[in-house]
Amino acid sequence: MNAVLSVRNLTKSFGGNRAVDDVSFDLARGELLALIGPNGAGKSTCFNMMTGHLKPDGGTVSLNGSPITGLKPRRIWRLGVGRTFQITATYASMTVVENVQMALISHHRRVFALRPYAHRLYRDEALGFLDLVGMAAQADRHCAVLAYGDLKRLELAIALCHAPGLLLMDEPTAGMAPGERTALMQLIADIVAQRQLSVLFTEHDMDTVFAHAHRVMVLNRGRLIANGTVAEIRADRQVQDVYLGGGTLFSALEPPSDA
Amino acid sequence: MGLFIAQLLTGLANAGALFMVASGLSLIFGVTRIVNFAHGSFYMLGAYVGYTLMQVLPGAFGFWGAILLTGIIVGLVGVIVEIVVLRPVYRAPELFQLVATFGVILVIQDLALMIWGPQDLLGPRAPGLKGVVRILGEPVPKYDLALIGITPFVALALWWLIARTRVGILVRAATQDREMVGALGVNQSWLFTGVFFLGCALAGLGGAVQLPKGGADLLMDFNILASIFVVVVIGGMGSLPGAYLAAVLVSVLNVFGVTYLPQSTLVLMFVVMALVLMIRPYGLLGREEVAGDPGQSGEPERPIKPAGARVRLIVAAGIALLALVPLIAPPFATVLVTDILIFCLFAASLHFLLGLGGLVSFGHAAFFGGGAYTAALLVAHADSPMELALLLAPLGAGLLALIIGWICLRLTGVYFAMLTLAFAQLLWSLVYQWGDVTGGDDGLVDIWPPDWASSSTVFFYLALVLCVGGILALRHAAHAPFGYALRAARDSKRQAEATGIDTRAVQWGAFALAGAMAGLAGGLFVFAKGSVFPNELEITRSFDALIVVFLGGVKTLSGGVVGGAVFESVKDVLTRFEYWRLALGLTIIAVVILAPEGIVGSLRRLGERLGLLRAPEDGS
């Protein structure tokens, strides 16, 4: 299989607690893969090892066949991995378009340039990315006054600047209203299809996951307990146990069986 | 062997006062996040108040009673300072309060001068502890032994208070999460006031307790400041056992240094600190600071834009007007404006680091003085011409900044600030004690510009070109990708790193650039004055620059320059009075309370309110 991202036997402990225990999976080109699990399952730990924020105790992460385990976040980004944060991280003192321009300046390796005016560099290119995520109208607003959902879309624009082949998104819709969630996920799905991107995302909201993911992995107590299509995961007894102790899980999508 | 033990005991005795003062500073910082620059002043106040009380109260009971009473009195003074000066500015931008505490230093200095006069006071001996004890043939003062015995009890009492009482639990909780403690219904204001009382009382105790050994003088405040910062940093911010350990280490080291390495006593302390921090970045017993993105307090900075045509015209007109100064103003004004220009460049260089980079350096004097000494040493020892010296001054300072920055940037926040301060002090002590090369306290004199630039008019134009050029260069850098990357690293290190920006390298570069510009200012300063003394490297120099940047407005591009111009001018007027420190201190405090956004920030707000400037959009 020609995997964009391959994770093998990834392991990480904090003290005596195995936060991530022998996790292995592949992510194919063009795939939208969701990593779900209850609180404390190890999603974020898993995620942070792929983005370079945490060093694994064991196991490997490879991008297009070459190992990236333990590389710094900025090196991993250079190799074509974009990411967004669970809690948005943007440059509050800049305008929206300048946020994107900053990423483009880094993309074009001109961070240390002292001569040109930064606000003129790659402005059109940046506006293009903002247009893509539907933020062009707000390009010259102060980033600090944006609504939360708009910040999330801005982050997505920033993540696309380096023409990544892989997007890692940590809870892309956390803290958003249901309507906004669907809109953002649809946007992501469109961009993925259009640019042949691969996406790995963690998510709390099951509606979002089942509506958009191509494939779902379930993590519980650091172990992968299921890996399959949406339908397979829904039917998985073990997953249902993990989530609701055996009760019916996905009531929002299914007609309630009683009352 | 006897000498060794005697010295060890002296060191342990000296550690007592140092521990008390340092633990107070650590406590105040832990809970209120205020770096109390005035802590040395409370220590000095303790010495003076204790002195007076000991004159009044008789006997041994009076002596020890006076010490306790001093603690309470100084603590109460601290409470007044907290309520009057600091409370109004808790909501001001981060670290703004330290400007207010600097104002307090000046006020207390002059009040002490008014009340107790300029002469050093010899502390009274402790009744019943006047003699010495012979240990292995070496005399050890009885009072030293008493101090060695008392200090652990003070430390233990403090530990008990913090670890075992309800108040202590609140204090510890507040150290970790102020907002949560507030949400649990604890009155934060009184908690802060209480901690300030305790911290200042400890400083006062320290001052009173050392009276029989050191007496009281007007330089005590700054003399101890560097030491307590070092103790707090070596021990680990907020760790009481750490503070005790570090106080002992520093004091013992000092005593042995005086005996075995008399030329390097001052340097030694800072070398040890640098070593400790390289191995344990958060101090001996300190815990790693939970560093997220730095908490932006107040509203975030606004986006910046290069000046438009109109502003450029105004600035050009202003520079042209400045150029007329030597032609129309009296000679002393030319000299004064030269000084102001140099100071503005110095302030602008710190502002670049602090405002754009969010890197609060407490030791920026290292680069001003570094440039000044580079130039002066070149002239004094290599007979180099002024032109070459002025070229090498920024290079020397920039190189220095590269070295210091490489070490300091491994740390963040207040540890970074303290470490920069320590390196500035290290440099100062090096210059001060390496008399053969640097002239030590006598400085390097007779360093004048060559004939063509010797008139104050010509030198004024030279300074004008270089300073305005330097300031404009810094401003341009702010608008260039490099300046944007620096702001990006400040706003969100996470995002910057996740988009390929090597934030530490960017900050390192900014450190070097700011250092070089400060060095240029320092080089010009030497030729303007014809001499250089170690005080150009002192804490007060660094503080001057900090005050100016904060007063001018951290979150505005021109804050450094405007603050520099205003501060130097005001200082020039005020220093003609006898009690100028008092006046300057009160002025600073007034500005802090009335204009917490700094001069430029407040003017901008006023302009927006009057409709002269376009207001920013409100939060949507």
Side-chain angles (χ1 to χ4, degrees), chain B residues 105-131:
Chain B
I105 294 184
L106 296 175
V107 170
I108 291 182
Q109 254 175 5
D110 261 4
L111 285 181
L113 176 65
M114 272 184 201
I115 299 172
W116 288 282
Q119 67 279 17
D120 294 359
L121 301 179
L122 207 60
R125 298 292 197 71
L129 296 169
K130 285 183 182 154

Side-chain angles (χ1 to χ4, degrees), chain B residues 333-369:
Chain B
T334 310
V335 174
L336 173 65
V337 176
T338 308
D339 287 354
I340 293 179
L341 281 169
I342 293 172
F343 193 69
C344 281
L345 176 60
F346 179 42
S349 72
L350 178 64
H351 182 272
F352 187 76
L353 211 55
L354 203 159
L356 298 177
L359 299 167
V360 183
S361 163
F362 284 181
H364 208 51
F367 312 118
F368 184 82

Side-chain angles (χ1 to χ4, degrees), chain A residues 36-203:
Chain A
I36 66 170
N39 280 333
K43 298 188 296 289
S44 289
T45 306
C46 209
F47 211 81
N48 287 335
M49 285 190 280
M50 282 175 256
T51 55
H53 284 93
L54 269 181
K55 272 204 166 69
D57 295 341
T60 56
V61 181
S62 325
L63 186 72
N64 299 318
S66 6
I68 58 165
T69 326
L71 291 185
K72 288 197 164 114
R74 61 170 185 274
R75 299 256 169 261
I76 293 178
W77 176 82
R78 286 258 172 239
L79 295 171
V81 180
R83 71 160 301 180
T84 64
F85 295 90
Q86 184 175 349
I87 298 163
T88 55
T90 51
Y91 310 131
S93 72
M94 301 184 194
T95 64
V96 171
V97 68
E98 282 171 349
N99 267 269
V100 184
Q101 281 171 290
M102 189 69 242
L104 285 168
I105 285 168
S106 176
H107 168 65
H108 292 282
R109 294 186 180 272
R110 296 189 69 181
V111 163
F112 287 91
L114 278 168
R115 241 160 55 80
Y117 280 117
H119 74 288
R120 289 189 193 145
L121 284 180
Y122 317 118
R123 187 177 156 91
D124 291 338
E125 208 177 332
L127 286 173
F129 282 111
L130 285 177
D131 196 37
L132 193 66
V133 298
M135 288 285 293
Q138 305 196 57
D140 288 309
R141 291 188 78 195
H142 186 181
C143 186
V145 303
L146 286 189
Y148 194 68
D150 291 342
L151 282 176
K152 289 270 184 186
R153 288 196 284 166
L154 172 57
E155 265 201 339
L156 180 59
I158 293 173
L160 291 172
C161 282
H162 191 50
L166 169 65
L167 269 186
L168 299 172
M169 309 184 84
D170 199 359
E171 306 237 358
T173 69
M176 295 174 87
E180 276 184 314
R181 288 178 179 211
T182 318
L184 183 71
M185 281 315 292
Q186 194 54 54
L187 179 67
I188 293 169
D190 291 347
I191 292 171
V192 166
Q194 195 188 340
R195 310 200 154 208
Q196 274 296 295
L197 286 179
S198 312
V199 176
L200 173 71
F201 70 105
T202 65
E203 186 53 74

Side-chain angles (χ1 to χ4, degrees), chain B residues 4-80:
Chain B
F4 181 84
I5 288 183
Q7 288 188 323
L8 195 69
L9 290 175
T10 312
L12 277 172
N14 291 347
L18 195 56
F19 163 71
M20 291 180 208
V21 188
S23 59
L25 181 76
S26 183
L27 214 58
I28 290 176
F29 175 80
V31 175
T32 65
R33 295 282 139 183
I34 286 179
V35 179
N36 183 19
F37 278 173
H39 211 67
S41 304
F42 290 107
Y43 165 73
M44 180 174 81
L45 208 57
Y48 276 111
V49 171
Y51 177 84
T52 301
L53 288 176
M54 283 171 196
Q55 308 291 8
V56 182
L57 302 172
F61 182 75
F63 178 84
W64 296 107
I67 289 180
L68 280 182
L69 210 56
T70 300
I72 294 171
I73 291 174
V74 174
L76 288 177
V77 174
V79 167
I80 295 172

Side-chain angles (χ1 to χ4, degrees), chain B residues 84-357:
Chain B
V84 176
V85 179
L86 292 173
R87 266 198 198 181
V89 290
Y90 275 132
R91 285 176 189 284
E94 212 173 6
L95 286 178
F96 192 69
Q97 299 88 355
L98 61 85
V99 182
T101 63
F102 188 78
V104 173
I105 294 184
L106 296 175
V107 170
I108 291 182
Q109 254 175 5
D110 261 4
L111 285 181
L113 176 65
M114 272 184 201
I115 299 172
W116 288 282
Q119 67 279 17
D120 294 359
L121 301 179
L122 207 60
R125 298 292 197 71
L129 296 169
K130 285 183 182 154
V132 295
V133 179
R134 294 218 165 251
I135 294 178
L136 296 177
E138 291 291 330
V140 176
K142 282 184 190 163
Y143 188 69
D144 276 11
L145 294 175
L147 273 186
I148 294 172
I150 292 167
T151 310
F153 284 102
V154 175
L156 219 60
L158 209 54
W159 172 82
W160 178 80
L161 183 73
I162 298 294
R164 286 283 182 270
T165 65
R166 183 180 144 73
V167 174
I169 290 173
L170 288 181
V171 167
R172 274 183 298 145
T175 308
Q176 289 196 349
D177 194 334
R178 272 189 287 174
E179 302 214 339
M180 192 62 214
V181 172
L184 290 174
V186 175
N187 186 336
Q188 274 200 53
S189 319
W190 287 109
L191 186 64
F192 280 23
T193 309
V195 165
F196 229 82
F197 173 81
L198 186 60
C200 293
L202 281 166
L205 277 182
V209 130
Q210 63 81 51
L211 267 174
K213 294 168 66 72
D217 62 75
L218 287 169
L219 295 175
M220 293 170 75
D221 50 355
F222 275 112
N223 283 347
I224 198 162
L225 202 54
S227 310
I228 55 179
F229 277 152
V230 167
V231 165
V232 167
V233 169
I234 291 186
M237 216 77 203
S239 164
L240 284 179
Y244 185 67
L245 205 64
V248 170
L249 187 69
V250 165
S251 303
V252 171
L253 212 67
N254 251 330
V255 176
F256 281 107
V258 169
T259 316
Y260 299 110
L261 288 165
Q263 304 84 19
S264 58
T265 42
L266 295 165
V267 185
L268 211 57
M269 180 165 77
F270 298 105
V271 170
V272 169
M273 184 181 91
L275 283 177
V276 166
L277 287 183
M278 277 184 214
I279 300 160
R280 289 190 61 91
Y282 296 94
L284 289 175
L285 298 179
R287 261 182 257 149
E288 181 166 354
E289 287 238 311
V290 187
D293 285 332
Q296 279 268 4
S297 44
E299 59 184 295
E301 197 178 290
R302 313 225 186 118
I304 58 170
K305 247 190 233 131
R310 200 166 54 132
V311 178
R312 275 171 202 231
L313 212 64
I314 294 172
V315 171
I319 295 172
L321 212 62
L322 266 181
L324 288 179
V325 165
L327 306 179
I328 50 174
F332 81 88
T334 310
V335 174
L336 173 65
V337 176
T338 308
D339 287 354
I340 293 179
L341 281 169
I342 293 172
F343 193 69
C344 281
L345 176 60
F346 179 42
S349 72
L350 178 64
H351 182 272
F352 187 76
L353 211 55
L354 203 159
L356 298 177

